[in-house]
Amino acid sequence: MISPAIEQLMKEHEETMVIPAENVANVMKEHPLEHALLLLSQAGYSTIPVLDKEDHFVGLLSLNDIVKKMLGIDGIDTSNLEELTVADVMKTDVSVMRPDAELEDVLHLLVDASFLPVLDHDRVFCGIVTRREILKAVNYTFHAFERKKPEAKVMLHANL
Ligand code: 2BA
């Protein structure tokens, strides 16, 4: 269990921990793979969320998944992408989180995933929590804990 004093300090970063949906690059599952390749390259990220027309999260698309489909016997062949859509190559077995997820669970999941899609109870995509934002909050917490030590200790004792 994470100590309440530490959790309280981490919560001071709560607002910036989630990158809201409107700032997250995404693709539609119906997009042709060629178009998705263009979007991914322009966004500059290695993996981005896949949504349906109602903004439900349906999976993740990575550059690696597309490149694998482009590999022919004679090397790279983009014509292999013509017949395929994002839905044909996206990963659907993905760790996700709710907006009110426990910090401890989020930290555990971010050991293996570089970001977690945040979904509401209808699986509508709300944004992502990235390792980077969490590490920034952890960094802040380590420094703030030292500065606020007496205050934090009182909290720790009060919650024991
Ligand atoms: P990657 O694309 O593999 O990026 C790994 C790390 O490289 C990122 O970690 C970030 O620190 C840096 N980075 C890559 N592209 C960047 C860019 N265009 N601008 C600024 N920094 C960039 P995190 O920030 O922890 O992100 C973890 C993963 O979350 C990223 O992995 C990407 O798959 C996804 N991601 C992050 N922000 C995103 C966004 N706005 N839209 C879509 N996906 C995003």
PDB file of all heavy atoms in Angstrom, residues 5-14 16-17 132-148 151:
ATOM      1  N   ALA A   5       0.445   9.921   2.895  1.00  0.00           N
ATOM      2  CA  ALA A   5       1.161  11.196   2.723  1.00  0.00           C
ATOM      3  C   ALA A   5       1.757  11.295   1.328  1.00  0.00           C
ATOM      4  O   ALA A   5       1.692  12.341   0.681  1.00  0.00           O
ATOM      5  CB  ALA A   5       2.259  11.303   3.780  1.00  0.00           C
ATOM      6  N   ILE A   6       2.329  10.173   0.848  1.00  0.00           N
ATOM      7  CA  ILE A   6       2.921  10.144  -0.498  1.00  0.00           C
ATOM      8  C   ILE A   6       1.803  10.311  -1.540  1.00  0.00           C
ATOM      9  O   ILE A   6       1.923  11.086  -2.494  1.00  0.00           O
ATOM     10  CB  ILE A   6       3.649   8.794  -0.747  1.00  0.00           C
ATOM     11  CG1 ILE A   6       4.747   8.565   0.279  1.00  0.00           C
ATOM     12  CG2 ILE A   6       4.142   8.699  -2.187  1.00  0.00           C
ATOM     13  CD1 ILE A   6       6.103   9.072  -0.068  1.00  0.00           C
ATOM     14  N   GLU A   7       0.712   9.579  -1.327  1.00  0.00           N
ATOM     15  CA  GLU A   7      -0.403   9.627  -2.279  1.00  0.00           C
ATOM     16  C   GLU A   7      -0.963  11.055  -2.371  1.00  0.00           C
ATOM     17  O   GLU A   7      -1.267  11.546  -3.452  1.00  0.00           O
ATOM     18  CB  GLU A   7      -1.503   8.646  -1.842  1.00  0.00           C
ATOM     19  CG  GLU A   7      -2.506   8.434  -2.928  1.00  0.00           C
ATOM     20  CD  GLU A   7      -3.090   7.027  -2.939  1.00  0.00           C
ATOM     21  OE1 GLU A   7      -2.791   6.239  -2.023  1.00  0.00           O
ATOM     22  OE2 GLU A   7      -3.856   6.750  -3.873  1.00  0.00           O
ATOM     23  N   GLN A   8      -1.043  11.716  -1.207  1.00  0.00           N
ATOM     24  CA  GLN A   8      -1.539  13.096  -1.166  1.00  0.00           C
ATOM     25  C   GLN A   8      -0.653  14.016  -2.011  1.00  0.00           C
ATOM     26  O   GLN A   8      -1.139  14.835  -2.787  1.00  0.00           O
ATOM     27  CB  GLN A   8      -1.551  13.561   0.313  1.00  0.00           C
ATOM     28  CG  GLN A   8      -2.190  14.914   0.544  1.00  0.00           C
ATOM     29  CD  GLN A   8      -3.648  14.938   0.089  1.00  0.00           C
ATOM     30  OE1 GLN A   8      -4.380  13.988   0.317  1.00  0.00           O
ATOM     31  NE2 GLN A   8      -4.045  16.010  -0.571  1.00  0.00           N
ATOM     32  N   LEU A   9       0.671  13.833  -1.869  1.00  0.00           N
ATOM     33  CA  LEU A   9       1.605  14.668  -2.643  1.00  0.00           C
ATOM     34  C   LEU A   9       1.483  14.375  -4.139  1.00  0.00           C
ATOM     35  O   LEU A   9       1.508  15.282  -4.968  1.00  0.00           O
ATOM     36  CB  LEU A   9       3.049  14.413  -2.181  1.00  0.00           C
ATOM     37  CG  LEU A   9       3.449  15.061  -0.861  1.00  0.00           C
ATOM     38  CD1 LEU A   9       4.819  14.560  -0.417  1.00  0.00           C
ATOM     39  CD2 LEU A   9       3.479  16.576  -0.995  1.00  0.00           C
ATOM     40  N   MET A  10       1.330  13.093  -4.479  1.00  0.00           N
ATOM     41  CA  MET A  10       1.173  12.721  -5.898  1.00  0.00           C
ATOM     42  C   MET A  10      -0.092  13.357  -6.463  1.00  0.00           C
ATOM     43  O   MET A  10      -0.123  13.766  -7.626  1.00  0.00           O
ATOM     44  CB  MET A  10       1.069  11.196  -6.052  1.00  0.00           C
ATOM     45  CG  MET A  10       2.351  10.438  -5.849  1.00  0.00           C
ATOM     46  SD  MET A  10       3.493  10.543  -7.244  1.00  0.00           S
ATOM     47  CE  MET A  10       2.739   9.488  -8.456  1.00  0.00           C
ATOM     48  N   LYS A  11      -1.133  13.438  -5.617  1.00  0.00           N
ATOM     49  CA  LYS A  11      -2.411  13.976  -6.097  1.00  0.00           C
ATOM     50  C   LYS A  11      -2.318  15.460  -6.456  1.00  0.00           C
ATOM     51  O   LYS A  11      -3.148  15.968  -7.203  1.00  0.00           O
ATOM     52  CB  LYS A  11      -3.514  13.738  -5.059  1.00  0.00           C
ATOM     53  CG  LYS A  11      -4.041  12.323  -5.148  1.00  0.00           C
ATOM     54  CD  LYS A  11      -5.361  12.135  -4.473  1.00  0.00           C
ATOM     55  CE  LYS A  11      -5.884  10.738  -4.792  1.00  0.00           C
ATOM     56  NZ  LYS A  11      -6.627  10.150  -3.716  1.00  0.00           N
ATOM     57  N   GLU A  12      -1.299  16.125  -5.931  1.00  0.00           N
ATOM     58  CA  GLU A  12      -1.113  17.534  -6.293  1.00  0.00           C
ATOM     59  C   GLU A  12      -0.811  17.663  -7.787  1.00  0.00           C
ATOM     60  O   GLU A  12      -0.910  18.736  -8.360  1.00  0.00           O
ATOM     61  CB  GLU A  12       0.015  18.164  -5.451  1.00  0.00           C
ATOM     62  CG  GLU A  12      -0.415  18.358  -4.006  1.00  0.00           C
ATOM     63  CD  GLU A  12       0.669  18.955  -3.127  1.00  0.00           C
ATOM     64  OE1 GLU A  12       1.627  19.541  -3.647  1.00  0.00           O
ATOM     65  OE2 GLU A  12       0.546  18.818  -1.889  1.00  0.00           O
ATOM     66  N   HIS A  13      -0.428  16.533  -8.424  1.00  0.00           N
ATOM     67  CA  HIS A  13      -0.137  16.520  -9.865  1.00  0.00           C
ATOM     68  C   HIS A  13      -1.272  15.906 -10.670  1.00  0.00           C
ATOM     69  O   HIS A  13      -1.136  15.726 -11.883  1.00  0.00           O
ATOM     70  CB  HIS A  13       1.132  15.701 -10.118  1.00  0.00           C
ATOM     71  CG  HIS A  13       2.359  16.538 -10.171  1.00  0.00           C
ATOM     72  ND1 HIS A  13       3.009  16.831 -11.333  1.00  0.00           N
ATOM     73  CD2 HIS A  13       3.027  17.168  -9.194  1.00  0.00           C
ATOM     74  CE1 HIS A  13       4.041  17.592 -11.070  1.00  0.00           C
ATOM     75  NE2 HIS A  13       4.075  17.809  -9.772  1.00  0.00           N
ATOM     76  N   GLU A  14      -2.374  15.589  -9.976  1.00  0.00           N
ATOM     77  CA  GLU A  14      -3.461  14.826 -10.609  1.00  0.00           C
ATOM     78  C   GLU A  14      -3.924  15.433 -11.935  1.00  0.00           C
ATOM     79  O   GLU A  14      -4.123  14.723 -12.915  1.00  0.00           O
ATOM     80  CB  GLU A  14      -4.643  14.750  -9.649  1.00  0.00           C
ATOM     81  CG  GLU A  14      -5.473  13.509  -9.818  1.00  0.00           C
ATOM     82  CD  GLU A  14      -6.376  13.293  -8.617  1.00  0.00           C
ATOM     83  OE1 GLU A  14      -6.839  14.306  -8.028  1.00  0.00           O
ATOM     84  OE2 GLU A  14      -6.611  12.155  -8.255  1.00  0.00           O
ATOM     85  N   THR A  16      -2.421  17.209 -14.163  1.00  0.00           N
ATOM     86  CA  THR A  16      -1.539  17.107 -15.338  1.00  0.00           C
ATOM     87  C   THR A  16      -1.183  15.652 -15.652  1.00  0.00           C
ATOM     88  O   THR A  16      -0.519  15.388 -16.659  1.00  0.00           O
ATOM     89  CB  THR A  16      -0.240  17.910 -15.115  1.00  0.00           C
ATOM     90  OG1 THR A  16       0.347  17.447 -13.903  1.00  0.00           O
ATOM     91  CG2 THR A  16      -0.499  19.391 -15.046  1.00  0.00           C
ATOM     92  N   MET A  17      -1.619  14.720 -14.815  1.00  0.00           N
ATOM     93  CA  MET A  17      -1.248  13.319 -15.041  1.00  0.00           C
ATOM     94  C   MET A  17      -1.951  12.728 -16.253  1.00  0.00           C
ATOM     95  O   MET A  17      -1.394  11.896 -16.946  1.00  0.00           O
ATOM     96  CB  MET A  17      -1.555  12.487 -13.804  1.00  0.00           C
ATOM     97  CG  MET A  17      -0.391  12.396 -12.851  1.00  0.00           C
ATOM     98  SD  MET A  17      -0.692  11.097 -11.696  1.00  0.00           S
ATOM     99  CE  MET A  17      -0.424  11.902 -10.165  1.00  0.00           C
ATOM    100  N   ARG A 132       5.895   9.164 -18.538  1.00  0.00           N
ATOM    101  CA  ARG A 132       6.587  10.451 -18.376  1.00  0.00           C
ATOM    102  C   ARG A 132       5.898  11.324 -17.335  1.00  0.00           C
ATOM    103  O   ARG A 132       6.550  11.875 -16.437  1.00  0.00           O
ATOM    104  CB  ARG A 132       6.615  11.146 -19.740  1.00  0.00           C
ATOM    105  CG  ARG A 132       7.352  12.436 -19.769  1.00  0.00           C
ATOM    106  CD  ARG A 132       7.547  12.874 -21.215  1.00  0.00           C
ATOM    107  NE  ARG A 132       8.463  13.970 -21.300  1.00  0.00           N
ATOM    108  CZ  ARG A 132       8.093  15.238 -21.453  1.00  0.00           C
ATOM    109  NH1 ARG A 132       6.812  15.534 -21.558  1.00  0.00           N
ATOM    110  NH2 ARG A 132       8.989  16.182 -21.499  1.00  0.00           N
ATOM    111  N   GLU A 133       4.559  11.458 -17.468  1.00  0.00           N
ATOM    112  CA  GLU A 133       3.821  12.317 -16.526  1.00  0.00           C
ATOM    113  C   GLU A 133       3.877  11.747 -15.115  1.00  0.00           C
ATOM    114  O   GLU A 133       3.989  12.488 -14.136  1.00  0.00           O
ATOM    115  CB  GLU A 133       2.366  12.505 -16.986  1.00  0.00           C
ATOM    116  CG  GLU A 133       2.210  13.328 -18.249  1.00  0.00           C
ATOM    117  CD  GLU A 133       2.936  14.672 -18.201  1.00  0.00           C
ATOM    118  OE1 GLU A 133       2.871  15.376 -17.177  1.00  0.00           O
ATOM    119  OE2 GLU A 133       3.608  15.014 -19.203  1.00  0.00           O
ATOM    120  N   ILE A 134       3.792  10.405 -15.012  1.00  0.00           N
ATOM    121  CA  ILE A 134       3.854   9.776 -13.681  1.00  0.00           C
ATOM    122  C   ILE A 134       5.244   9.982 -13.068  1.00  0.00           C
ATOM    123  O   ILE A 134       5.369  10.324 -11.887  1.00  0.00           O
ATOM    124  CB  ILE A 134       3.504   8.263 -13.771  1.00  0.00           C
ATOM    125  CG1 ILE A 134       2.021   8.077 -14.094  1.00  0.00           C
ATOM    126  CG2 ILE A 134       3.880   7.526 -12.492  1.00  0.00           C
ATOM    127  CD1 ILE A 134       1.051   8.371 -12.953  1.00  0.00           C
ATOM    128  N   LEU A 135       6.283   9.829 -13.894  1.00  0.00           N
ATOM    129  CA  LEU A 135       7.644  10.009 -13.367  1.00  0.00           C
ATOM    130  C   LEU A 135       7.871  11.449 -12.916  1.00  0.00           C
ATOM    131  O   LEU A 135       8.560  11.696 -11.919  1.00  0.00           O
ATOM    132  CB  LEU A 135       8.688   9.608 -14.410  1.00  0.00           C
ATOM    133  CG  LEU A 135       8.971   8.115 -14.475  1.00  0.00           C
ATOM    134  CD1 LEU A 135       9.917   7.788 -15.617  1.00  0.00           C
ATOM    135  CD2 LEU A 135       9.575   7.602 -13.162  1.00  0.00           C
ATOM    136  N   LYS A 136       7.260  12.405 -13.650  1.00  0.00           N
ATOM    137  CA  LYS A 136       7.378  13.805 -13.241  1.00  0.00           C
ATOM    138  C   LYS A 136       6.737  13.995 -11.872  1.00  0.00           C
ATOM    139  O   LYS A 136       7.271  14.690 -10.993  1.00  0.00           O
ATOM    140  CB  LYS A 136       6.707  14.714 -14.283  1.00  0.00           C
ATOM    141  CG  LYS A 136       7.651  15.096 -15.409  1.00  0.00           C
ATOM    142  CD  LYS A 136       6.983  15.542 -16.664  1.00  0.00           C
ATOM    143  CE  LYS A 136       6.179  16.782 -16.593  1.00  0.00           C
ATOM    144  NZ  LYS A 136       5.596  17.123 -17.920  1.00  0.00           N
ATOM    145  N   ALA A 137       5.561  13.364 -11.667  1.00  0.00           N
ATOM    146  CA  ALA A 137       4.859  13.475 -10.384  1.00  0.00           C
ATOM    147  C   ALA A 137       5.656  12.799  -9.263  1.00  0.00           C
ATOM    148  O   ALA A 137       5.737  13.309  -8.143  1.00  0.00           O
ATOM    149  CB  ALA A 137       3.468  12.854 -10.497  1.00  0.00           C
ATOM    150  N   VAL A 138       6.289  11.639  -9.595  1.00  0.00           N
ATOM    151  CA  VAL A 138       7.102  10.927  -8.591  1.00  0.00           C
ATOM    152  C   VAL A 138       8.313  11.788  -8.211  1.00  0.00           C
ATOM    153  O   VAL A 138       8.637  11.947  -7.025  1.00  0.00           O
ATOM    154  CB  VAL A 138       7.564   9.550  -9.141  1.00  0.00           C
ATOM    155  CG1 VAL A 138       8.648   8.937  -8.261  1.00  0.00           C
ATOM    156  CG2 VAL A 138       6.381   8.601  -9.260  1.00  0.00           C
ATOM    157  N   ASN A 139       8.930  12.380  -9.206  1.00  0.00           N
ATOM    158  CA  ASN A 139      10.093  13.239  -8.978  1.00  0.00           C
ATOM    159  C   ASN A 139       9.719  14.407  -8.055  1.00  0.00           C
ATOM    160  O   ASN A 139      10.413  14.700  -7.073  1.00  0.00           O
ATOM    161  CB  ASN A 139      10.581  13.754 -10.338  1.00  0.00           C
ATOM    162  CG  ASN A 139      11.902  14.460 -10.245  1.00  0.00           C
ATOM    163  OD1 ASN A 139      12.695  14.196  -9.338  1.00  0.00           O
ATOM    164  ND2 ASN A 139      12.146  15.378 -11.154  1.00  0.00           N
ATOM    165  N   TYR A 140       8.566  15.037  -8.374  1.00  0.00           N
ATOM    166  CA  TYR A 140       8.080  16.146  -7.548  1.00  0.00           C
ATOM    167  C   TYR A 140       7.852  15.663  -6.111  1.00  0.00           C
ATOM    168  O   TYR A 140       8.241  16.315  -5.142  1.00  0.00           O
ATOM    169  CB  TYR A 140       6.772  16.695  -8.142  1.00  0.00           C
ATOM    170  CG  TYR A 140       5.995  17.558  -7.187  1.00  0.00           C
ATOM    171  CD1 TYR A 140       6.330  18.902  -7.015  1.00  0.00           C
ATOM    172  CD2 TYR A 140       4.959  17.023  -6.418  1.00  0.00           C
ATOM    173  CE1 TYR A 140       5.641  19.690  -6.114  1.00  0.00           C
ATOM    174  CE2 TYR A 140       4.263  17.804  -5.512  1.00  0.00           C
ATOM    175  CZ  TYR A 140       4.604  19.129  -5.366  1.00  0.00           C
ATOM    176  OH  TYR A 140       3.932  19.906  -4.470  1.00  0.00           O
ATOM    177  N   THR A 141       7.225  14.484  -6.008  1.00  0.00           N
ATOM    178  CA  THR A 141       6.870  13.955  -4.679  1.00  0.00           C
ATOM    179  C   THR A 141       8.113  13.697  -3.829  1.00  0.00           C
ATOM    180  O   THR A 141       8.140  14.036  -2.646  1.00  0.00           O
ATOM    181  CB  THR A 141       6.048  12.648  -4.851  1.00  0.00           C
ATOM    182  OG1 THR A 141       4.886  12.969  -5.602  1.00  0.00           O
ATOM    183  CG2 THR A 141       5.645  12.051  -3.520  1.00  0.00           C
ATOM    184  N   PHE A 142       9.154  13.098  -4.442  1.00  0.00           N
ATOM    185  CA  PHE A 142      10.391  12.826  -3.700  1.00  0.00           C
ATOM    186  C   PHE A 142      10.966  14.115  -3.106  1.00  0.00           C
ATOM    187  O   PHE A 142      11.376  14.159  -1.950  1.00  0.00           O
ATOM    188  CB  PHE A 142      11.443  12.195  -4.618  1.00  0.00           C
ATOM    189  CG  PHE A 142      11.224  10.732  -4.876  1.00  0.00           C
ATOM    190  CD1 PHE A 142      12.020  10.051  -5.783  1.00  0.00           C
ATOM    191  CD2 PHE A 142      10.222  10.023  -4.229  1.00  0.00           C
ATOM    192  CE1 PHE A 142      11.824   8.699  -6.033  1.00  0.00           C
ATOM    193  CE2 PHE A 142      10.008   8.676  -4.473  1.00  0.00           C
ATOM    194  CZ  PHE A 142      10.816   8.014  -5.382  1.00  0.00           C
ATOM    195  N   HIS A 143      10.975  15.179  -3.944  1.00  0.00           N
ATOM    196  CA  HIS A 143      11.552  16.441  -3.469  1.00  0.00           C
ATOM    197  C   HIS A 143      10.642  17.120  -2.455  1.00  0.00           C
ATOM    198  O   HIS A 143      11.103  17.609  -1.431  1.00  0.00           O
ATOM    199  CB  HIS A 143      11.826  17.372  -4.654  1.00  0.00           C
ATOM    200  CG  HIS A 143      12.972  16.892  -5.475  1.00  0.00           C
ATOM    201  ND1 HIS A 143      12.816  16.091  -6.566  1.00  0.00           N
ATOM    202  CD2 HIS A 143      14.306  17.079  -5.345  1.00  0.00           C
ATOM    203  CE1 HIS A 143      13.998  15.801  -7.074  1.00  0.00           C
ATOM    204  NE2 HIS A 143      14.923  16.389  -6.347  1.00  0.00           N
ATOM    205  N   ALA A 144       9.320  17.116  -2.741  1.00  0.00           N
ATOM    206  CA  ALA A 144       8.374  17.791  -1.848  1.00  0.00           C
ATOM    207  C   ALA A 144       8.290  17.074  -0.500  1.00  0.00           C
ATOM    208  O   ALA A 144       8.103  17.713   0.537  1.00  0.00           O
ATOM    209  CB  ALA A 144       6.999  17.839  -2.501  1.00  0.00           C
ATOM    210  N   PHE A 145       8.468  15.747  -0.504  1.00  0.00           N
ATOM    211  CA  PHE A 145       8.363  14.978   0.743  1.00  0.00           C
ATOM    212  C   PHE A 145       9.437  15.436   1.730  1.00  0.00           C
ATOM    213  O   PHE A 145       9.182  15.609   2.914  1.00  0.00           O
ATOM    214  CB  PHE A 145       8.519  13.483   0.464  1.00  0.00           C
ATOM    215  CG  PHE A 145       8.172  12.622   1.642  1.00  0.00           C
ATOM    216  CD1 PHE A 145       6.844  12.477   2.033  1.00  0.00           C
ATOM    217  CD2 PHE A 145       9.150  11.967   2.363  1.00  0.00           C
ATOM    218  CE1 PHE A 145       6.510  11.691   3.131  1.00  0.00           C
ATOM    219  CE2 PHE A 145       8.824  11.182   3.460  1.00  0.00           C
ATOM    220  CZ  PHE A 145       7.499  11.036   3.840  1.00  0.00           C
ATOM    221  N   GLU A 146      10.630  15.678   1.211  1.00  0.00           N
ATOM    222  CA  GLU A 146      11.737  16.122   2.054  1.00  0.00           C
ATOM    223  C   GLU A 146      11.419  17.511   2.640  1.00  0.00           C
ATOM    224  O   GLU A 146      11.608  17.750   3.827  1.00  0.00           O
ATOM    225  CB  GLU A 146      13.025  16.163   1.205  1.00  0.00           C
ATOM    226  CG  GLU A 146      14.311  16.211   1.995  1.00  0.00           C
ATOM    227  CD  GLU A 146      14.436  15.098   3.033  1.00  0.00           C
ATOM    228  OE1 GLU A 146      13.972  13.972   2.783  1.00  0.00           O
ATOM    229  OE2 GLU A 146      14.976  15.401   4.117  1.00  0.00           O
ATOM    230  N   ARG A 147      10.883  18.403   1.751  1.00  0.00           N
ATOM    231  CA  ARG A 147      10.569  19.773   2.193  1.00  0.00           C
ATOM    232  C   ARG A 147       9.430  19.782   3.203  1.00  0.00           C
ATOM    233  O   ARG A 147       9.433  20.534   4.159  1.00  0.00           O
ATOM    234  CB  ARG A 147      10.155  20.636   0.988  1.00  0.00           C
ATOM    235  CG  ARG A 147      11.316  21.193   0.206  1.00  0.00           C
ATOM    236  CD  ARG A 147      10.866  22.370  -0.664  1.00  0.00           C
ATOM    237  NE  ARG A 147       9.718  22.066  -1.491  1.00  0.00           N
ATOM    238  CZ  ARG A 147       9.797  21.499  -2.699  1.00  0.00           C
ATOM    239  NH1 ARG A 147      10.954  21.195  -3.194  1.00  0.00           N
ATOM    240  NH2 ARG A 147       8.703  21.257  -3.398  1.00  0.00           N
ATOM    241  N   LYS A 148       8.417  18.907   2.971  1.00  0.00           N
ATOM    242  CA  LYS A 148       7.219  18.933   3.804  1.00  0.00           C
ATOM    243  C   LYS A 148       7.273  17.837   4.866  1.00  0.00           C
ATOM    244  O   LYS A 148       6.239  17.390   5.337  1.00  0.00           O
ATOM    245  CB  LYS A 148       5.978  18.733   2.936  1.00  0.00           C
ATOM    246  CG  LYS A 148       5.755  19.832   1.916  1.00  0.00           C
ATOM    247  CD  LYS A 148       4.435  19.630   1.208  1.00  0.00           C
ATOM    248  CE  LYS A 148       4.212  20.708   0.178  1.00  0.00           C
ATOM    249  NZ  LYS A 148       2.956  20.570  -0.537  1.00  0.00           N
ATOM    250  N   GLU A 151       5.091  17.935   8.158  1.00  0.00           N
ATOM    251  CA  GLU A 151       3.676  17.861   7.769  1.00  0.00           C
ATOM    252  C   GLU A 151       3.289  16.442   7.330  1.00  0.00           C
ATOM    253  O   GLU A 151       2.278  15.890   7.746  1.00  0.00           O
ATOM    254  CB  GLU A 151       3.516  18.773   6.553  1.00  0.00           C
ATOM    255  CG  GLU A 151       2.263  19.591   6.487  1.00  0.00           C
ATOM    256  CD  GLU A 151       2.321  20.438   5.220  1.00  0.00           C
ATOM    257  OE1 GLU A 151       3.095  21.422   5.200  1.00  0.00           O
ATOM    258  OE2 GLU A 151       1.634  20.073   4.267  1.00  0.00           O
TER     259      GLU A 151
END
